Amino acid sequence: MALARRRVVPWLVGGASAPLWAASLTPRSATAAEHPGYGPLAPALPLNSDALRVMRADAPSTVAYDLRGVPLLALPQGFRYRVLSCTGMTMSDGQRVPGAHDGMAAFAGPRPGTTLLVRNHELRRGAVHHGDADGVRVPAALKWDPQAIGGTTTLLVDADGTLRRDHASLGGTDNNCAGGPTPWGSWLTCEESVATPQDSGGRYARRHGYVFELPAAAAGPVEARPIVGMGRFRHEAAAVDPVSGAVYLSEDRADGCLYRYLPREPGRLHAGGALQALRLRDGGGHSVDTARGLRSMLGRPLAVDWVAIDEPDPTTDDVRAQAQARGAARFSRGEGLWAGGPRGTDDHRITLVSTSGGDAGAGQVFALDPGAGQVTLVAESSDRALLDGPDNVGAAPDGRLLLCEDGGGGNGLVGIEADGTLFTFARNLFNSSEFCGACSSPDGRFLFVNLQTPGLTLVIEGPWRAAGR
């Protein structure tokens, strides 16, 4: 069965009517040359479909969910996948896999061909989640907040794409949404939360809204220590400039800002540094809203500078107010960040995804060139059928950027060619859950990605280089 629905809608790039960014899903009988990306999609079963029956931990005779015989994804011909980890399964440390999988990164494992995955769990107190009500379980002495249930888990994947072991790696944090890898082998996990004991009615014991760092290679849970200098706000993602060591930070607010943290000692983030927010130099000192009315500037670099945040750790949620008082630009739900551009382009850029930006409110993609001091709106969705609510951003094994949709309908993984063409690489056939945490193994063999609900980590393999031409 092929997906025959056709979606060819131009994005406007480089001018008011330049139809350079487009995507289509066409019948499988068409030739590969007629399709951007890797070709047309068809439903596919997981390779380990027969094993996907998960029992409830609190009632071992009761099925939590049964995915046997269920095609979870539609993929191009030649690609295949397996479910690596499910919410509710028992991990190597004896704990259950927590729910609400979100941001994730891949690192080289201890042996050739193996991969370490560090995975966020966007869990918060008082919300209904699949899986263990206690969330990520680690020793109380290692938690930032003994009452918070979010955190991270770490998975070791063998060279053949199977799971070798997994364990809880950081806990006591809240609503861990996205984050980012560092060049020195650690994961920055970000709290999309500004909860306090006072405003939560005592559900929390400490303030939240921080970034935490953990080594990818840690064999067990590590102490959760907030990097206070990186600010207290609704963090989404982080991206490290490998040249300067600056860390770029997005904020998931309708009026959020884009920040950078300049560490005093690159690679030692806890040693302190300066927090700044991006400002458009031609804004006349005013806080420019980039979400609307910017389409005429598609493809045109805009000069930027940076304003200081005097109090990065306020008692109230006012970091963005401090920034905007000095003219910092606003981005509508700044979410995914990625250090590097699409395959074949300059890799010294920082890609920023604005989930609800654009005149249609369906999403924007910006490219920041730190060296040139410029930011460019490189894409704006003009139709939700083409791209709806891009969230996390990562890279396929052949280097093409992949946008994880978090829209109102069926969600997909939408790729970006070096010339700006959009294509759909994968579609969620199982439910309406968003894709999260797309990342590739260091050896270029596998793509890992999460379906947030009920919490599935998938590993995809196929003819990346051959299909990518």
Side-chain angles (χ1 to χ4, degrees):
M1 174 183 177
L3 296 180
R5 180 167 60 110
R6 186 171 179 82
R7 307 188 309 161
V8 183
V9 183
W11 285 37
L12 305 179
V13 175
S17 60
L20 297 181
W21 292 56
S24 62
L25 294 180
T26 57
R28 188 172 175 178
S29 59
T31 64
E34 294 177 79
H35 300 279
Y38 307 98
L41 312 186
L45 287 172
L47 294 175
N48 58 338
S49 180
D50 291 345
L52 300 180
R53 184 170 181 259
V54 180
M55 311 303 290
R56 286 180 52 177
D58 59 344
S61 62
T62 304
V63 177
Y65 48 90
D66 191 341
L67 304 180
R68 294 174 299 175
V70 178
L72 305 176
L73 299 183
L75 290 172
Q77 186 175 8
F79 287 84
R80 54 203 176 275
Y81 70 105
R82 69 175 65 243
V83 176
L84 198 63
S85 173
C86 300
T87 295
M89 286 184 167
T90 301
M91 297 191 293
S92 305
D93 62 1
Q95 308 297 336
R96 284 179 281 171
V97 176
H101 302 8
D102 209 290
M104 186 166 64
F107 303 84
R111 291 176 302 282
T114 61
T115 302
L116 285 165
L117 292 175
V118 186
R119 177 180 62 192
N120 276 4
H121 296 275
E122 193 178 18
L123 297 166
R124 66 185 186 276
R125 289 288 302 274
V128 177
H129 298 289
H130 291 267
D132 194 336
D134 290 333
V136 183
R137 296 189 182 192
V138 302
L142 299 179
K143 291 186 173 184
W144 164 244
D145 183 340
Q147 297 176 203
I149 64 173
T152 68
T153 52
T154 299
L155 299 78
L156 175 62
V157 183
D158 268 336
D160 63 356
T162 58
L163 180 65
R164 173 172 286 271
R165 67 171 187 264
D166 50 354
H167 64 270
S169 48
L170 183 140
T173 51
D174 188 47
N175 222 45
N176 297 64
C177 194
T182 72
W184 50 90
S186 65
W187 169 246
L188 300 176
T189 182
C190 297
E191 292 186 307
E192 188 190 341
S193 170
V194 287
T196 68
Q198 294 76 24
D199 65 25
S200 68
R203 288 201 306 272
Y204 295 96
R206 306 186 81 164
R207 294 192 307 183
H208 294 274
Y210 299 111
V211 178
F212 299 79
E213 183 176 15
L214 67 150
V222 303
E223 182 183 1
R225 297 170 52 220
I227 306 172
V228 176
M230 296 180 81
R232 179 178 171 269
F233 54 88
R234 285 177 64 100
H235 284 275
E236 177 70 25
V240 181
D241 181 350
V243 177
S244 68
V247 185
Y248 293 84
L249 304 160
S250 57
E251 182 176 26
D252 192 357
R253 290 281 197 188
D255 61 343
C257 295
L258 176 64
Y259 305 91
R260 71 176 182 184
Y261 177 66
L262 302 176
R264 294 193 187 100
E265 302 176 44
R268 298 189 62 219
L269 305 181
H270 281 282
L275 185 67
Q276 302 173 331
L278 180 144
R279 177 174 62 182
L280 298 182
R281 291 177 57 183
D282 292 338
H286 301 290
S287 176
V288 176
D289 184 359
T290 66
R292 303 291 181 268
L294 208 63
R295 181 175 289 180
S296 63
M297 300 303 294
L298 278 160
R300 303 178 187 177
L302 303 173
V304 304
D305 57 15
W306 297 85
V307 298
I309 305 298
D310 291 332
E311 179 47 76
D313 186 27
T315 57
T316 58
D317 178 26
D318 77 346
V319 169
R320 68 191 185 285
Q322 295 180 54
Q324 291 162 20
R326 293 183 169 179
R330 288 166 283 160
F331 296 88
S332 185
R333 295 191 59 201
E335 298 216 39
L337 285 172
W338 185 257
R343 178 174 57 99
T345 64
D346 182 0
D347 287 339
H348 297 296
R349 298 182 300 169
I350 305 295
T351 298
L352 166 68
V353 176
S354 172
T355 295
S356 53
D359 292 345
Q364 296 168 308
V365 181
F366 293 86
L368 172 68
D369 185 334
Q374 297 175 332
V375 67
T376 304
L377 175 63
V378 296
E380 179 173 312
S381 177
S382 60
D383 192 305
R384 293 183 185 275
L386 177 64
L387 182 68
D388 186 11
D391 192 324
N392 290 176
V393 60
D398 63 6
R400 302 187 216 194
L401 293 185
L402 292 175
L403 302 169
C404 297
E405 282 189 312
D406 181 17
N411 288 312
L413 281 174
V414 178
I416 307 177
E417 297 279 20
D419 66 358
T421 303
L422 293 182
F423 62 92
T424 302
F425 165 67
R427 184 152 296 283
N428 176 6
L429 301 182
F430 176 54
N431 59 18
S432 61
S433 176
E434 64 182 283
F435 281 97
C436 312
C439 56
S440 297
S441 61
D443 65 3
R445 180 175 177 183
F446 300 115
L447 174 74
F448 303 97
V449 70
N450 296 319
L451 291 179
Q452 185 168 86
T453 304
L456 306 174
T457 297
L458 313 176
V459 54
I460 304 172
E461 60 181 321
W464 300 105
R465 291 174 179 81
R469 294 182 296 280

